[in-house]
Amino acid sequence: MADSYEYINKSYDTLVKLISDEKERLECKERETDIRDYNTGVHSVKKQSEETEEALDMELGLARGLAQSIAQGMAQGITMGIQIITDHDKGISNEEIAENRNIPLAEVNQFVMQYESA
């Protein structure tokens, strides 16, 4: 009978250990899931941040490029206007200005007309 109690006690201890191990396993699994979810969230936020930063960099680059193009266009337009006025004031005909400067005659005529009316 003593052997029977000893066997029951040993079985009980084993069962308690298994239950305890199962609880620990479930707790570990839950912690792993929490860590994985946290890391996924951090990764997602980081990726969104990188994509946003990339988009902002692209927009900034486009804005700078556009501003530079506008500035260059204005500078070229001013230079062309000065050349037309200078040639016109020298008595060169609009046709010759257009041909010499490789500018359409209609643009030269329009510019000279605006210059003379100002």
Side-chain angles (χ1 to χ4, degrees):
M1 195 106 156
D3 288 337
S4 166
Y5 285 119
E6 187 177 318
Y7 176 75
I8 291 173
N9 283 334
K10 191 173 182 181
S11 295
Y12 177 78
D13 290 342
T14 302
L15 183 60
V16 168
K17 183 171 177 15
L18 286 174
I19 291 172
S20 175
D21 288 349
E22 180 65 15
K23 283 181 182 178
E24 286 181 33
R25 186 185 70 76
L26 291 174
E27 288 173 1
C28 284
K29 188 173 182 177
E30 188 176 328
R31 281 192 297 269
E32 285 177 0
T33 301
D34 290 346
I35 290 169
R36 193 175 309 114
D37 290 348
Y38 173 79
N39 287 338
T40 300
V42 167
H43 177 73
S44 176
V45 167
K46 183 178 177 185
K47 185 175 180 179
Q48 287 175 345
S49 174
E50 289 170 353
E51 289 171 355
T52 301
E53 184 177 346
E54 187 177 305
L56 289 174
D57 287 346
M58 194 179 309
E59 286 181 26
L60 180 60
L62 289 172
R64 285 180 178 165
L66 179 60
Q68 184 178 5
S69 295
I70 291 171
Q72 287 175 345
M74 289 176 65
Q76 289 173 351
I78 291 170
T79 301
M80 182 182 74
I82 291 171
Q83 291 170 344
I84 291 171
I85 292 169
T86 303
D87 289 350
H88 178 72
D89 286 346
K90 289 180 182 177
I92 300 173
S93 72
N94 291 355
E95 291 78 13
E96 287 180 277
I97 294 171
E99 187 177 322
N100 293 341
R101 300 285 180 191
N102 196 24
I103 302 169
L105 180 59
E107 287 183 30
V108 173
N109 289 338
Q110 183 181 10
F111 195 87
V112 169
M113 188 171 31
Q114 288 176 349
Y115 170 68
E116 289 176 340
S117 68

